[in-house]
Amino acid sequence: QVQLVESGGDLVQAGGSLRLSCAASGTIFSINAMEWYRQAPGKQREWIAGITNGGRIKYADSVKGRFTISRDGAKNTVYLQMTALKPEDTALYYCAANRLPQFDLPNSDYRGQGTQVTVSS
């Protein structure tokens, strides 16, 4: 089993920045991709960024150029640096991990509880 714990969510003004963290523990050797999703109230889950162990990175168009995903292998942590935040970025952000080196699968192998990001206008 893999446990994922997110942190870093906060209330921020539009145009501001935040860095989210996702710390993984457990049988992390089985994980080959980690990614971030978000879900706003009343909306469907939105995949936003992913990174594989091999270093492949992909972003959703909605965050490309503003968000950066990275990882620290020594700390078993994946980060999401968010800049130029907009009110529409307000959502619960959570990370997920997959045994396959693939993103946005119908069902993630593991998922965290999430951290709230609120962007005020």
Side-chain angles (χ1 to χ4, degrees), residues 10-121:
D10 205 346
L11 170 63
V12 64
Q13 288 189 332
S17 300
L18 279 176
R19 189 179 79 158
L20 306 183
S21 301
C22 173
S25 60
T27 55
I28 56 177
F29 60 85
S30 66
I31 297 305
N32 285 286
M34 293 187 71
E35 53 194 350
W36 287 93
Y37 290 86
R38 65 187 181 187
Q39 188 163 19
K43 294 188 177 180
Q44 289 191 331
R45 179 185 79 168
E46 178 186 12
W47 178 88
I48 55 176
I51 184 168
T52 68
N53 284 359
R56 180 167 65 96
I57 291 175
K58 187 176 179 182
Y59 298 98
D61 289 342
S62 60
V63 305
K64 197 174 295 182
R66 299 189 299 125
F67 291 9
T68 303
I69 190 170
S70 62
R71 63 192 178 107
D72 183 332
K75 296 182 179 179
N76 298 320
T77 299
V78 171
Y79 303 97
L80 185 69
Q81 179 68 48
M82 307 186 295
T83 63
L85 284 163
K86 307 174 183 178
E88 51 262 43
D89 293 319
T90 295
L92 180 69
Y93 285 69
Y94 61 94
C95 68
N98 300 315
R99 290 186 288 267
L100 293 174
Q102 296 177 9
F103 304 138
D104 200 16
L105 297 174
N107 293 290
S108 304
D109 290 315
Y110 305 101
R111 170 185 162 171
Q113 294 298 307
T115 185
Q116 179 67 36
V117 173
T118 302
V119 184
S120 63
S121 57

